[in-house]
Amino acid sequence: MEEENIFVHDRDPVKHSGLGIASFIIGLVVLVILTIVFVYIIGILSQSYYISESDPRLVAVGVVMMVGMLLSGVGIILSIIGLSKRTRKRIFPILGIVINGLIVVFVIFLIILGLASE
């Protein structure tokens, strides 16, 4: 007599949310890009203490930060959509919301800090 496997589940294993994974990857990429930007800013400031606001390097840094914030906004939207799918795992959408949300809050903080220092 053959032994039957009593631990066989009737349903398929739950898969990860593709949108959640995309959101998580967007958050990581933006985090790496912003880290590179901050290292670049430190390099610029180590060469000279005062830099004009119209310096093209600073303008490029500002544009990169705004694009990063917009990408993080897209990541948050993807995470929310990924969380709404009940048949998928939720770990990547949650991580995406946390990472992208922190990026957006940090960039907004830097904008407010820059406006207050003028």
Side-chain angles (χ1 to χ4, degrees), residues 35-52:
T35 303
I36 291 169
V37 165
F38 283 116
V39 169
Y40 180 69
I41 290 172
I42 291 170
I44 291 173
L45 291 176
S46 68
Q47 293 173 356
S48 64
Y49 181 73
Y50 178 76
I51 299 174
S52 169

Side-chain angles (χ1 to χ4, degrees), residues 21-37:
I21 293 171
S23 170
F24 178 70
I25 290 173
I26 287 172
L28 289 181
V29 168
V30 171
L31 197 61
V32 167
I33 290 172
L34 289 181
T35 303
I36 291 169
V37 165

Side-chain angles (χ1 to χ4, degrees), residues 30-98:
V30 171
L31 197 61
V32 167
I33 290 172
L34 289 181
T35 303
I36 291 169
V37 165
F38 283 116
V39 169
Y40 180 69
I41 290 172
I42 291 170
I44 291 173
L45 291 176
S46 68
Q47 293 173 356
S48 64
Y49 181 73
Y50 178 76
I51 299 174
S52 169
E53 290 181 6
S54 61
D55 187 345
R57 298 176 295 181
L58 290 183
V59 172
V61 165
V63 169
V64 168
M65 289 179 67
M66 292 310 239
V67 169
M69 191 170 87
L70 289 174
L71 283 174
S72 289
V74 170
I76 289 171
I77 293 169
L78 291 176
S79 290
I80 292 170
I81 295 171
L83 276 175
S84 68
K85 295 188 176 189
R86 301 265 181 213
T87 60
R88 301 291 181 170
K89 290 184 181 179
R90 296 176 179 229
I91 186 68
F92 283 112
I94 291 171
L95 288 173
I97 284 178
V98 169

